[in-house]
Amino acid sequence: MSRSRDAVHEILRRSESFRSAQDIFTEMRSVGAKIGLTTVYRALQALNDDGRVDVLRTDDGEAVYRACASGVHHHHLVCRACGRTVEVAGPDVERWAEAIGAEHGFVEITHTVEVFGTCADCSGPR
Amino acid sequence: MSRSRDAVHEILRRSESFRSAQDIFTEMRSVGAKIGLTTVYRALQALNDDGRVDVLRTDDGEAVYRACASGVHHHHLVCRACGRTVEVAGPDVERWAEAIGAEHGFVEITHTVEVFGTCADCSGPR
DNA sequence: GACAGTTTTGACAACCGTTTTCATTTTCCT
DNA sequence: AGGAAAATGAAAACGGTTGTCAAAACTGTC
Ligand SMILES: [Zn+2]
Ligand SMILES: [Zn+2]
Ligand SMILES: [Zn+2]
Ligand SMILES: [Zn+2]
């Protein structure tokens, strides 16, 4: 798994928002790349397994992917309108999650945190 | 929408973990209730519209529902093994989300936060 | 109670994103 | 070049969810 995996990774690196498999597939086809939808799905899950892309689920259950610049644990601030995404750190949140878990006797704590809003460009000069 | 909506709500109130539509449907049928899967789905989305149940997506995209005791904004600490769920508050997290959004010029901030772990019963006396 | 109008129900089909299958193509190594 | 192994993609299968539509249940009125 290499040729197309890199192609998919490249698409994601060029994008600053989360993208769906179908979305990526359509873009690649529209610029003449000959690739199958199945391969896009496989590339995405390989990239995710390797920790090279982040994935999250939209409200309607679609998986969307992003090649994040940061290799370490972080979260996302996503514009509801244009999808633009900023990677953010939240040391306080990390500590809070651990603490709240411990407080109730839970171990091996993990968490998911996403922040949504409307970015400056999209809320715009009214 | 009433009879079956209440029945579904009741099932959820009796459960302390998040449940899927299929799951609820199977339980209801197994105790002799005559209800259709479609109706369960409709009841769940109605309850959610009314803000009476919380919904979240599992990693594989399935929607799961829970009738939370708290009517106000809160988050969940979920056991990966048995599903047992504790409602938790995180004032620090609320403030952090607002602040991080504002810091990047985003407005109308919302967020999703879920904490996962293994509960005391499930991690058990090794 | 009978009746007409409205709402709810549920079997079934349609949808849609994702995964599996499997035969073909490409890549890699000698 | 030759053969084994990995990658590819078209099409079928899958699983959760939503749409369809005719039948059933509920509503209020005479
Ligand atoms: Zn925006
Ligand atoms: Zn974190
Ligand atoms: Zn547990
Ligand atoms: Zn919150």
Side-chain angles (χ1 to χ4, degrees), chain B residues 73-75 90 93-94 97 111-113:
Chain B
H73 179 82
H74 63 273
H75 298 286
V93 177
E94 312 303 322
H111 60 272
T112 66
V113 172

Side-chain angles (χ1 to χ4, degrees), chain A residues 21-98:
Chain A
Q22 310 256 13
D23 188 10
I24 293 167
F25 170 69
T26 302
E27 173 176 336
M28 296 182 79
R29 275 295 177 88
S30 76
V31 296
K34 56 177 171 49
I35 190 172
L37 180 56
T38 309
T39 303
V40 174
Y41 275 107
R42 276 192 287 240
L44 287 171
Q45 64 191 38
L47 288 166
N48 184 54
D49 289 349
D50 294 356
R52 278 201 263 276
V53 303
D54 289 356
V55 58
L56 64 84
R57 293 264 173 187
T58 64
D59 283 340
D60 56 303
E62 194 176 23
V64 287
Y65 302 82
R66 184 172 197 270
C68 286
S70 164
V72 304
H73 179 83
H74 62 273
H75 298 286
H76 304 104
L77 171 58
V78 184
C79 176
R80 250 185 306 268
C82 68
R84 214 179 89 223
T85 298
V86 183
E87 298 167 37
V88 298
D92 294 349
V93 178
E94 312 303 323
R95 276 190 293 274
W96 170 82
E98 278 297 331

Side-chain angles (χ1 to χ4, degrees), chain B residues 11 14 19 21-37 40:
Chain B
I11 294 270
R14 273 201 258 271
R19 309 283 302 271
Q22 308 258 15
D23 188 11
I24 294 167
F25 170 69
T26 302
E27 173 175 336
M28 294 182 80
R29 275 295 177 89
S30 77
V31 295
K34 54 178 172 52
I35 191 172
L37 180 55
V40 173

Side-chain angles (χ1 to χ4, degrees), chain B residues 1 4 29 34 36 38-39 42:
Chain B
M1 201 174 296
S4 49
R29 275 295 177 89
K34 54 178 172 52
T38 309
T39 303
R42 274 192 291 239

Side-chain angles (χ1 to χ4, degrees), chain B residues 3-33 35 40 43-44 47 53 65-67:
Chain B
R3 181 62 40 83
S4 49
R5 182 168 68 84
D6 288 345
V8 170
H9 197 195
E10 183 57 26
I11 294 270
L12 283 177
R13 252 185 277 107
R14 273 201 258 271
S15 175
E16 61 178 330
S17 55
F18 279 86
R19 309 283 302 271
S20 73
Q22 308 258 15
D23 188 11
I24 294 167
F25 170 69
T26 302
E27 173 175 336
M28 294 182 80
R29 275 295 177 89
S30 77
V31 295
I35 191 172
V40 173
L44 287 170
L47 288 166
V53 302
Y65 303 81
R66 183 170 198 272

